[in-house]
């Protein structure tokens, strides 16, 4: 494995980490539209908290997919063809969520607004849940042949481990969204988000225990990388403790940063377990390795030069956009 191959494996992980940190609270806020918010004014405020950011945050997902396609075409081909139906459902959920914000603002009837509010909430929920299921199934191992083709059945995608993974990621995003609402709003909506987060964090603790147990029995993470896997699982629990402390102590920034880092920790945990593979096969001889899945050295070198040029500009824009819209919204 070359240094550039390793670098781009890390960069793909960084892009997915950025996506789940930023889009994670977008998904969480989207799910609160029909749960936390109780009046039309509160739903307006909830949507406005992510209005300036949600579409830009999705760029991280597009960039991650593009980076995977350019740097690891075999990984991209195997993943996107093997998980085609799940990715199609994720795409439908993202489209419904995206157009709902625009269509809702143009509806003149309460029933029309209600329909698109449900589209936003359900689109956020299903996108998050399906992402969690997909990545959990990915590290569990799939039926892949020597050519890298996947011939999976329903239970390969939908099983206890993948469902728990989907629920865990959904709950993490929902709490991340509640913490963002606490940062961005005032009044009763902010207080309600705080009250909802308190019991949900205890549910999350239970979910993390179940997920860790299933991770032990359904993957080779603890046998092949016992130290790093244990550290990352413990880090996830400690970050949840910090977020819970932030909730009960009403330390809003601590809760938000900790919940976001929890999502990043999950991504790092999965990529750590994958390495040096990009696809885990039920038959370990057919697992796709980084060194076999990558593009040519020239392509990786060219991509590195372009990325180092464009990345600082993108990061400056993101920081600027959040600075411009940093003020709280009244509920």
């Amino acid at each position: 494995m070359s240094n550039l191959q390793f670098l781009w494996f890390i960069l793909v992980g960084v892009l997915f980490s950025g996506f789940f940190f930023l889009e994670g609270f977008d998904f969480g806020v989207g799910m609160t539209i029909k749960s936390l918010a109780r009046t039309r004014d509160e739903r307006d405020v909830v949507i406005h908290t992510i209005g300036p950011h949600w579409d830009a945050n999705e760029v991280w997902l597009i960039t991650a997919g593009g980076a995977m396609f350019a740097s690891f075409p075999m990984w991209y081909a195997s993943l996107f063809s093997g998980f085609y139906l799940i990715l199609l459902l994720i795409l439908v959920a993202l489209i419904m969520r995206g157009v709902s914000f625009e269509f809702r603002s143009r509806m003149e009837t309460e029933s029309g607004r209600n329909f698109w509010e449900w589209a936003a909430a359900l689109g956020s929920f299903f996108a998050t849940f399906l992402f969690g299921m997909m990545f959990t199934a990915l590290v569990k191992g799939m039926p892949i042949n020597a050519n890298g083709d996947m011939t999976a059945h329903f239970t390969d995608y939908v099983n206890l481990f993948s469902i728990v993974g989907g629920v865990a990621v959904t709950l993490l995003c929902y709490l991340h969204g509640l913490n963002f609402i606490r940062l961005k709003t005032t009044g009763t909506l902010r207080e309600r988000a705080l009250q909802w987060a308190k019991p949900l964090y205890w549910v999350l603790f239970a979910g993390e225990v179940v997920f860790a147990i299933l991770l032990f029995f359904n993957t080779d993470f603890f046998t092949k990388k016992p130290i790093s896997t244990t550290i990352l699982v413990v880090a996830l629990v400690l970050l949840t403790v910090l977020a819970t402390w932030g909730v009960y102590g009403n330390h809003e920034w601590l809760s938000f940063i900790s919940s976001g880092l929890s999502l990043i920790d999950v991504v790092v945990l999965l990529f750590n377990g994958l390495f040096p593979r990009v696809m885990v096969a039920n038959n370990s001889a057919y697992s796709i390795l980084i060194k076999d899945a990558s593009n040519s050295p020239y392509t990786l070198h060219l991509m590195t030069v372009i990325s180092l040029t464009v990345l600082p500009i993108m990061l400056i824009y993101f920081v600027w956009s959040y600075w411009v819209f940093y003020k709280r919204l009244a509920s």
Side-chain angles (χ1 to χ4, degrees), residues 273-326:
L274 276 176
F275 185 82
R277 306 162 294 189
V278 290
M279 294 291 289
V280 181
N282 291 340
N283 183 344
S284 59
Y286 296 148
S287 292
I288 303 175
L289 304 179
I290 293 173
K291 65 183 182 67
D292 299 323
S294 73
N295 217 322
S296 67
Y298 175 77
T299 301
L300 295 180
H301 176 75
L302 183 62
M303 288 173 58
T304 304
V305 173
I306 294 173
S307 298
L308 291 177
T309 305
V310 175
L311 184 61
I313 299 173
M314 185 179 72
L315 292 177
I316 290 171
Y317 166 77
F318 266 95
V319 173
W320 174 80
S321 67
Y322 279 92
W323 173 255
V324 169
F325 297 101
Y326 78 93

Short mmCIF file of all heavy atoms in Angstrom, two decimals, residues 273-326:
data_model
loop_
_atom_site.label_atom_id
_atom_site.label_comp_id
_atom_site.label_asym_id
_atom_site.label_seq_id
_atom_site.Cartn_x
_atom_site.Cartn_y
_atom_site.Cartn_z
N GLY A 273 -11.92 -0.31 11.60
CA GLY A 273 -12.18 -1.73 11.45
C GLY A 273 -12.04 -2.22 10.02
O GLY A 273 -11.63 -3.36 9.78
N LEU A 274 -12.37 -1.35 9.06
CA LEU A 274 -12.23 -1.72 7.66
C LEU A 274 -10.77 -1.91 7.25
O LEU A 274 -10.42 -2.83 6.52
CB LEU A 274 -12.86 -0.64 6.76
CG LEU A 274 -14.35 -0.68 6.49
CD1 LEU A 274 -14.77 0.52 5.67
CD2 LEU A 274 -14.74 -1.97 5.76
N PHE A 275 -9.91 -0.99 7.68
CA PHE A 275 -8.52 -0.96 7.24
C PHE A 275 -7.82 -2.31 7.46
O PHE A 275 -7.99 -2.92 8.51
CB PHE A 275 -7.79 0.13 8.03
CG PHE A 275 -6.36 0.36 7.60
CD1 PHE A 275 -6.07 1.15 6.51
CD2 PHE A 275 -5.32 -0.26 8.29
CE1 PHE A 275 -4.76 1.35 6.12
CE2 PHE A 275 -4.01 -0.06 7.89
CZ PHE A 275 -3.74 0.74 6.81
N PRO A 276 -7.05 -2.82 6.49
CA PRO A 276 -6.68 -2.25 5.19
C PRO A 276 -7.65 -2.64 4.06
O PRO A 276 -7.27 -2.63 2.90
CB PRO A 276 -5.31 -2.86 4.95
CG PRO A 276 -5.43 -4.24 5.54
CD PRO A 276 -6.34 -4.09 6.74
N ARG A 277 -8.88 -2.94 4.43
CA ARG A 277 -9.89 -3.30 3.43
C ARG A 277 -10.77 -2.09 3.14
O ARG A 277 -10.80 -1.13 3.88
CB ARG A 277 -10.77 -4.44 3.98
CG ARG A 277 -10.00 -5.66 4.45
CD ARG A 277 -10.82 -6.56 5.35
NE ARG A 277 -11.14 -5.91 6.62
CZ ARG A 277 -11.69 -6.53 7.66
NH1 ARG A 277 -11.99 -7.82 7.57
NH2 ARG A 277 -11.96 -5.88 8.76
N VAL A 278 -11.50 -2.18 2.04
CA VAL A 278 -12.55 -1.20 1.78
C VAL A 278 -13.91 -1.89 1.72
O VAL A 278 -14.94 -1.25 1.92
CB VAL A 278 -12.29 -0.41 0.48
CG1 VAL A 278 -11.13 0.54 0.65
CG2 VAL A 278 -12.08 -1.33 -0.72
N MET A 279 -13.92 -3.18 1.44
CA MET A 279 -15.14 -3.98 1.47
C MET A 279 -14.83 -5.29 2.19
O MET A 279 -13.82 -5.94 1.89
CB MET A 279 -15.66 -4.28 0.06
CG MET A 279 -16.14 -3.07 -0.71
SD MET A 279 -17.67 -2.34 -0.06
CE MET A 279 -18.88 -3.60 -0.50
N VAL A 280 -15.68 -5.66 3.14
CA VAL A 280 -15.49 -6.89 3.90
C VAL A 280 -16.36 -7.98 3.30
O VAL A 280 -17.58 -7.83 3.19
CB VAL A 280 -15.86 -6.70 5.39
CG1 VAL A 280 -15.63 -7.98 6.17
CG2 VAL A 280 -15.05 -5.55 5.98
N ALA A 281 -15.73 -9.07 2.90
CA ALA A 281 -16.46 -10.21 2.34
C ALA A 281 -16.65 -11.28 3.40
O ALA A 281 -15.85 -11.41 4.33
CB ALA A 281 -15.70 -10.79 1.15
N ASN A 282 -17.73 -12.04 3.26
CA ASN A 282 -17.95 -13.17 4.18
C ASN A 282 -16.79 -14.15 4.11
O ASN A 282 -16.37 -14.71 5.12
CB ASN A 282 -19.26 -13.88 3.83
CG ASN A 282 -20.48 -13.02 4.14
OD1 ASN A 282 -20.40 -12.09 4.94
ND2 ASN A 282 -21.60 -13.33 3.52
N ASN A 283 -16.29 -14.35 2.90
CA ASN A 283 -15.06 -15.12 2.69
C ASN A 283 -13.90 -14.13 2.67
O ASN A 283 -13.78 -13.33 1.74
CB ASN A 283 -15.13 -15.89 1.38
CG ASN A 283 -13.91 -16.77 1.15
OD1 ASN A 283 -12.88 -16.61 1.79
ND2 ASN A 283 -14.03 -17.71 0.22
N SER A 284 -13.07 -14.14 3.70
CA SER A 284 -12.03 -13.13 3.84
C SER A 284 -11.09 -13.06 2.65
O SER A 284 -10.47 -12.02 2.40
CB SER A 284 -11.23 -13.37 5.12
OG SER A 284 -10.63 -14.66 5.10
N ALA A 285 -10.98 -14.16 1.90
CA ALA A 285 -10.10 -14.17 0.73
C ALA A 285 -10.59 -13.21 -0.35
O ALA A 285 -9.80 -12.79 -1.21
CB ALA A 285 -9.98 -15.59 0.17
N TYR A 286 -11.88 -12.88 -0.32
CA TYR A 286 -12.46 -12.02 -1.36
C TYR A 286 -12.70 -10.59 -0.88
O TYR A 286 -13.29 -9.79 -1.61
CB TYR A 286 -13.78 -12.62 -1.86
CG TYR A 286 -13.63 -13.95 -2.54
CD1 TYR A 286 -14.64 -14.92 -2.46
CD2 TYR A 286 -12.47 -14.27 -3.24
CE1 TYR A 286 -14.50 -16.15 -3.09
CE2 TYR A 286 -12.32 -15.50 -3.86
CZ TYR A 286 -13.34 -16.44 -3.78
OH TYR A 286 -13.20 -17.64 -4.41
N SER A 287 -12.27 -10.27 0.32
CA SER A 287 -12.38 -8.88 0.78
C SER A 287 -11.54 -7.99 -0.14
O SER A 287 -10.45 -8.37 -0.58
CB SER A 287 -11.88 -8.75 2.22
OG SER A 287 -12.75 -9.41 3.12
N ILE A 288 -12.06 -6.80 -0.42
CA ILE A 288 -11.36 -5.88 -1.32
C ILE A 288 -10.43 -4.99 -0.50
O ILE A 288 -10.87 -4.32 0.43
CB ILE A 288 -12.36 -5.02 -2.11
CG1 ILE A 288 -13.33 -5.93 -2.89
CG2 ILE A 288 -11.64 -4.08 -3.07
CD1 ILE A 288 -14.44 -5.17 -3.60
N LEU A 289 -9.16 -5.00 -0.85
CA LEU A 289 -8.15 -4.26 -0.11
C LEU A 289 -7.92 -2.89 -0.73
O LEU A 289 -8.17 -2.66 -1.91
CB LEU A 289 -6.84 -5.04 -0.08
CG LEU A 289 -6.89 -6.47 0.48
CD1 LEU A 289 -5.51 -7.10 0.43
CD2 LEU A 289 -7.42 -6.47 1.90
N ILE A 290 -7.42 -1.97 0.09
CA ILE A 290 -7.13 -0.62 -0.37
C ILE A 290 -6.18 -0.65 -1.56
O ILE A 290 -6.39 0.04 -2.56
CB ILE A 290 -6.51 0.22 0.78
CG1 ILE A 290 -7.54 0.44 1.89
CG2 ILE A 290 -5.99 1.56 0.26
CD1 ILE A 290 -6.96 1.10 3.13
N LYS A 291 -5.12 -1.45 -1.47
CA LYS A 291 -4.10 -1.48 -2.50
C LYS A 291 -4.62 -2.01 -3.84
O LYS A 291 -4.08 -1.68 -4.90
CB LYS A 291 -2.90 -2.31 -2.05
CG LYS A 291 -3.20 -3.79 -1.84
CD LYS A 291 -1.96 -4.52 -1.31
CE LYS A 291 -2.22 -6.01 -1.14
NZ LYS A 291 -2.45 -6.69 -2.45
N ASP A 292 -5.70 -2.81 -3.79
CA ASP A 292 -6.26 -3.36 -5.02
C ASP A 292 -7.39 -2.50 -5.59
O ASP A 292 -7.72 -2.63 -6.77
CB ASP A 292 -6.79 -4.77 -4.76
CG ASP A 292 -5.70 -5.73 -4.31
OD1 ASP A 292 -4.57 -5.62 -4.83
OD2 ASP A 292 -5.97 -6.57 -3.44
N ALA A 293 -8.00 -1.68 -4.74
CA ALA A 293 -9.19 -0.93 -5.17
C ALA A 293 -8.86 0.46 -5.70
O ALA A 293 -9.72 1.11 -6.29
CB ALA A 293 -10.15 -0.79 -3.98
N SER A 294 -7.61 0.92 -5.51
CA SER A 294 -7.30 2.32 -5.79
C SER A 294 -7.02 2.57 -7.27
O SER A 294 -6.77 1.66 -8.06
CB SER A 294 -6.10 2.77 -4.97
OG SER A 294 -4.91 2.21 -5.48
N ASN A 295 -7.07 3.86 -7.61
CA ASN A 295 -6.74 4.31 -8.95
C ASN A 295 -5.23 4.36 -9.13
O ASN A 295 -4.47 4.04 -8.21
CB ASN A 295 -7.36 5.69 -9.19
CG ASN A 295 -7.86 5.85 -10.63
OD1 ASN A 295 -7.23 5.37 -11.56
ND2 ASN A 295 -8.99 6.51 -10.79
N SER A 296 -4.78 4.84 -10.29
CA SER A 296 -3.35 4.87 -10.59
C SER A 296 -2.63 5.90 -9.73
O SER A 296 -3.25 6.86 -9.25
CB SER A 296 -3.15 5.21 -12.07
OG SER A 296 -3.56 6.54 -12.32
N PRO A 297 -1.33 5.75 -9.49
CA PRO A 297 -0.58 6.74 -8.71
C PRO A 297 -0.67 8.16 -9.28
O PRO A 297 -0.74 9.13 -8.53
CB PRO A 297 0.85 6.21 -8.76
CG PRO A 297 0.70 4.75 -8.98
CD PRO A 297 -0.50 4.59 -9.85
N TYR A 298 -0.66 8.27 -10.62
CA TYR A 298 -0.75 9.60 -11.24
C TYR A 298 -2.07 10.28 -10.88
O TYR A 298 -2.11 11.47 -10.55
CB TYR A 298 -0.61 9.49 -12.75
CG TYR A 298 -0.81 10.81 -13.46
CD1 TYR A 298 0.20 11.78 -13.47
CD2 TYR A 298 -2.01 11.10 -14.10
CE1 TYR A 298 0.02 13.00 -14.10
CE2 TYR A 298 -2.21 12.32 -14.72
CZ TYR A 298 -1.19 13.26 -14.73
OH TYR A 298 -1.38 14.47 -15.34
N THR A 299 -3.17 9.51 -10.96
CA THR A 299 -4.49 10.07 -10.63
C THR A 299 -4.55 10.51 -9.17
O THR A 299 -5.05 11.58 -8.86
CB THR A 299 -5.59 9.03 -10.91
OG1 THR A 299 -5.55 8.65 -12.29
CG2 THR A 299 -6.96 9.59 -10.58
N LEU A 300 -4.03 9.68 -8.28
CA LEU A 300 -4.04 10.03 -6.86
C LEU A 300 -3.19 11.28 -6.60
O LEU A 300 -3.56 12.13 -5.78
CB LEU A 300 -3.53 8.86 -6.02
CG LEU A 300 -4.39 7.59 -6.02
CD1 LEU A 300 -3.74 6.51 -5.15
CD2 LEU A 300 -5.80 7.87 -5.54
N HIS A 301 -2.06 11.38 -7.29
CA HIS A 301 -1.20 12.56 -7.12
C HIS A 301 -1.91 13.81 -7.61
O HIS A 301 -1.89 14.86 -6.93
CB HIS A 301 0.10 12.36 -7.89
CG HIS A 301 1.01 13.56 -7.87
ND1 HIS A 301 1.74 13.92 -6.77
CD2 HIS A 301 1.26 14.50 -8.83
CE1 HIS A 301 2.43 15.01 -7.03
NE2 HIS A 301 2.15 15.40 -8.28
N LEU A 302 -2.54 13.73 -8.77
CA LEU A 302 -3.25 14.88 -9.32
C LEU A 302 -4.40 15.29 -8.41
O LEU A 302 -4.62 16.49 -8.15
CB LEU A 302 -3.78 14.54 -10.73
CG LEU A 302 -4.51 15.66 -11.47
CD1 LEU A 302 -3.58 16.85 -11.71
CD2 LEU A 302 -5.07 15.14 -12.80
N MET A 303 -5.15 14.33 -7.89
CA MET A 303 -6.26 14.63 -6.98
C MET A 303 -5.75 15.30 -5.70
O MET A 303 -6.41 16.19 -5.16
CB MET A 303 -7.00 13.33 -6.62
CG MET A 303 -7.84 12.76 -7.75
SD MET A 303 -8.48 11.14 -7.29
CE MET A 303 -9.39 11.54 -5.79
N THR A 304 -4.59 14.87 -5.22
CA THR A 304 -4.04 15.46 -4.00
C THR A 304 -3.72 16.93 -4.21
O THR A 304 -4.03 17.78 -3.36
CB THR A 304 -2.77 14.69 -3.57
OG1 THR A 304 -3.09 13.30 -3.41
CG2 THR A 304 -2.22 15.25 -2.27
N VAL A 305 -3.11 17.26 -5.35
CA VAL A 305 -2.75 18.64 -5.65
C VAL A 305 -4.01 19.50 -5.74
O VAL A 305 -4.08 20.60 -5.17
CB VAL A 305 -1.95 18.73 -6.96
CG1 VAL A 305 -1.74 20.19 -7.36
CG2 VAL A 305 -0.62 18.02 -6.81
N ILE A 306 -5.03 19.01 -6.45
CA ILE A 306 -6.28 19.76 -6.61
C ILE A 306 -6.97 19.95 -5.25
O ILE A 306 -7.45 21.03 -4.93
CB ILE A 306 -7.21 19.04 -7.60
CG1 ILE A 306 -6.59 19.05 -9.00
CG2 ILE A 306 -8.59 19.72 -7.63
CD1 ILE A 306 -7.36 18.22 -10.01
N SER A 307 -7.00 18.90 -4.45
CA SER A 307 -7.67 18.96 -3.15
C SER A 307 -7.01 19.97 -2.22
O SER A 307 -7.68 20.73 -1.52
CB SER A 307 -7.69 17.58 -2.49
OG SER A 307 -8.41 16.66 -3.29
N LEU A 308 -5.68 19.97 -2.20
CA LEU A 308 -4.97 20.91 -1.34
C LEU A 308 -5.18 22.35 -1.78
O LEU A 308 -5.03 23.28 -0.98
CB LEU A 308 -3.47 20.58 -1.34
CG LEU A 308 -3.07 19.27 -0.65
CD1 LEU A 308 -1.58 19.02 -0.79
CD2 LEU A 308 -3.47 19.28 0.82
N THR A 309 -5.55 22.54 -3.05
CA THR A 309 -5.83 23.88 -3.55
C THR A 309 -7.24 24.32 -3.21
O THR A 309 -7.48 25.46 -2.81
CB THR A 309 -5.64 23.94 -5.08
OG1 THR A 309 -4.31 23.49 -5.40
CG2 THR A 309 -5.84 25.35 -5.60
N VAL A 310 -8.20 23.41 -3.36
CA VAL A 310 -9.62 23.75 -3.21
C VAL A 310 -10.08 23.70 -1.76
O VAL A 310 -10.91 24.50 -1.33
CB VAL A 310 -10.49 22.81 -4.08
CG1 VAL A 310 -11.97 23.07 -3.85
CG2 VAL A 310 -10.13 22.98 -5.55
N LEU A 311 -9.54 22.76 -0.97
CA LEU A 311 -10.02 22.53 0.40
C LEU A 311 -9.98 23.79 1.27
O LEU A 311 -10.97 24.07 1.96
CB LEU A 311 -9.23 21.40 1.04
CG LEU A 311 -9.69 20.97 2.44
CD1 LEU A 311 -11.12 20.47 2.40
CD2 LEU A 311 -8.77 19.88 3.00
N PRO A 312 -8.88 24.55 1.28
CA PRO A 312 -8.89 25.76 2.14
C PRO A 312 -10.00 26.75 1.78
O PRO A 312 -10.61 27.36 2.67
CB PRO A 312 -7.50 26.37 1.88
CG PRO A 312 -6.67 25.23 1.42
CD PRO A 312 -7.59 24.35 0.64
N ILE A 313 -10.30 26.89 0.47
CA ILE A 313 -11.36 27.80 0.04
C ILE A 313 -12.71 27.32 0.56
O ILE A 313 -13.52 28.10 1.07
CB ILE A 313 -11.38 27.89 -1.50
CG1 ILE A 313 -10.05 28.43 -2.01
CG2 ILE A 313 -12.54 28.77 -1.97
CD1 ILE A 313 -9.91 28.39 -3.52
N MET A 314 -12.95 26.02 0.47
CA MET A 314 -14.21 25.45 0.94
C MET A 314 -14.36 25.63 2.45
O MET A 314 -15.44 26.00 2.94
CB MET A 314 -14.28 23.97 0.59
CG MET A 314 -15.61 23.31 0.93
SD MET A 314 -15.67 21.57 0.46
CE MET A 314 -14.58 20.85 1.69
N LEU A 315 -13.29 25.39 3.20
CA LEU A 315 -13.36 25.52 4.65
C LEU A 315 -13.59 26.97 5.07
O LEU A 315 -14.35 27.24 6.01
CB LEU A 315 -12.07 24.99 5.28
CG LEU A 315 -11.84 23.48 5.17
CD1 LEU A 315 -10.50 23.10 5.77
CD2 LEU A 315 -12.97 22.71 5.84
N ILE A 316 -12.97 27.92 4.37
CA ILE A 316 -13.18 29.34 4.66
C ILE A 316 -14.65 29.71 4.44
O ILE A 316 -15.26 30.43 5.22
CB ILE A 316 -12.25 30.21 3.79
CG1 ILE A 316 -10.80 30.05 4.25
CG2 ILE A 316 -12.66 31.69 3.88
CD1 ILE A 316 -9.79 30.69 3.33
N TYR A 317 -15.22 29.18 3.35
CA TYR A 317 -16.64 29.47 3.07
C TYR A 317 -17.54 28.93 4.17
O TYR A 317 -18.47 29.61 4.63
CB TYR A 317 -17.05 28.87 1.72
CG TYR A 317 -18.55 28.85 1.55
CD1 TYR A 317 -19.25 30.00 1.23
CD2 TYR A 317 -19.27 27.66 1.73
CE1 TYR A 317 -20.63 29.99 1.10
CE2 TYR A 317 -20.65 27.64 1.61
CZ TYR A 317 -21.32 28.81 1.28
OH TYR A 317 -22.69 28.79 1.16
N PHE A 318 -17.26 27.71 4.62
CA PHE A 318 -18.11 27.11 5.66
C PHE A 318 -18.03 27.91 6.95
O PHE A 318 -19.05 28.19 7.58
CB PHE A 318 -17.68 25.66 5.91
CG PHE A 318 -18.46 24.66 5.11
CD1 PHE A 318 -17.98 24.20 3.89
CD2 PHE A 318 -19.68 24.19 5.55
CE1 PHE A 318 -18.70 23.29 3.14
CE2 PHE A 318 -20.40 23.27 4.82
CZ PHE A 318 -19.92 22.83 3.61
N VAL A 319 -16.83 28.28 7.34
CA VAL A 319 -16.68 29.07 8.57
C VAL A 319 -17.40 30.40 8.43
O VAL A 319 -18.10 30.85 9.35
CB VAL A 319 -15.18 29.28 8.87
CG1 VAL A 319 -15.01 30.25 10.05
CG2 VAL A 319 -14.50 27.95 9.20
N TRP A 320 -17.25 31.05 7.29
CA TRP A 320 -17.90 32.35 7.06
C TRP A 320 -19.42 32.23 7.10
O TRP A 320 -20.10 33.06 7.71
CB TRP A 320 -17.46 32.91 5.71
CG TRP A 320 -18.17 34.18 5.32
CD1 TRP A 320 -17.91 35.45 5.76
CD2 TRP A 320 -19.28 34.29 4.43
NE1 TRP A 320 -18.78 36.35 5.19
CE2 TRP A 320 -19.64 35.66 4.36
CE3 TRP A 320 -20.01 33.36 3.67
CZ2 TRP A 320 -20.69 36.12 3.58
CZ3 TRP A 320 -21.04 33.82 2.88
CH2 TRP A 320 -21.39 35.19 2.85
N SER A 321 -19.98 31.19 6.47
CA SER A 321 -21.44 31.04 6.43
C SER A 321 -22.02 30.82 7.81
O SER A 321 -23.08 31.37 8.13
CB SER A 321 -21.83 29.88 5.50
OG SER A 321 -21.40 28.63 6.02
N TYR A 322 -21.35 30.06 8.65
CA TYR A 322 -21.85 29.85 10.01
C TYR A 322 -21.67 31.10 10.86
O TYR A 322 -22.48 31.36 11.76
CB TYR A 322 -21.15 28.65 10.66
CG TYR A 322 -21.75 27.33 10.24
CD1 TYR A 322 -21.24 26.63 9.14
CD2 TYR A 322 -22.85 26.80 10.90
CE1 TYR A 322 -21.80 25.43 8.73
CE2 TYR A 322 -23.42 25.60 10.50
CZ TYR A 322 -22.89 24.93 9.42
OH TYR A 322 -23.45 23.75 9.01
N TRP A 323 -20.63 31.88 10.59
CA TRP A 323 -20.43 33.12 11.34
C TRP A 323 -21.54 34.13 11.01
O TRP A 323 -22.05 34.81 11.89
CB TRP A 323 -19.06 33.71 11.01
CG TRP A 323 -18.84 35.08 11.60
CD1 TRP A 323 -18.86 36.27 10.96
CD2 TRP A 323 -18.60 35.37 12.98
NE1 TRP A 323 -18.64 37.31 11.83
CE2 TRP A 323 -18.47 36.78 13.09
CE3 TRP A 323 -18.48 34.59 14.13
CZ2 TRP A 323 -18.23 37.42 14.30
CZ3 TRP A 323 -18.24 35.23 15.34
CH2 TRP A 323 -18.13 36.62 15.42
N VAL A 324 -21.91 34.20 9.74
CA VAL A 324 -22.94 35.15 9.31
C VAL A 324 -24.28 34.85 9.98
O VAL A 324 -25.02 35.75 10.36
CB VAL A 324 -23.08 35.14 7.78
CG1 VAL A 324 -24.32 35.93 7.33
CG2 VAL A 324 -21.83 35.73 7.12
N PHE A 325 -24.59 33.55 10.13
CA PHE A 325 -25.91 33.15 10.64
C PHE A 325 -25.80 32.58 12.07
O PHE A 325 -26.47 31.62 12.41
CB PHE A 325 -26.54 32.11 9.73
CG PHE A 325 -26.83 32.60 8.34
CD1 PHE A 325 -25.99 32.28 7.28
CD2 PHE A 325 -27.93 33.39 8.09
CE1 PHE A 325 -26.25 32.73 6.00
CE2 PHE A 325 -28.21 33.86 6.81
CZ PHE A 325 -27.37 33.54 5.76
N TYR A 326 -24.96 33.18 12.90
CA TYR A 326 -24.73 32.62 14.22
C TYR A 326 -25.79 33.01 15.24
O TYR A 326 -25.91 32.39 16.29
CB TYR A 326 -23.35 33.05 14.74
CG TYR A 326 -23.31 34.48 15.26
CD1 TYR A 326 -23.51 34.78 16.61
CD2 TYR A 326 -23.08 35.54 14.39
CE1 TYR A 326 -23.47 36.09 17.07
CE2 TYR A 326 -23.03 36.85 14.84
CZ TYR A 326 -23.24 37.12 16.18
OH TYR A 326 -23.21 38.41 16.62
#
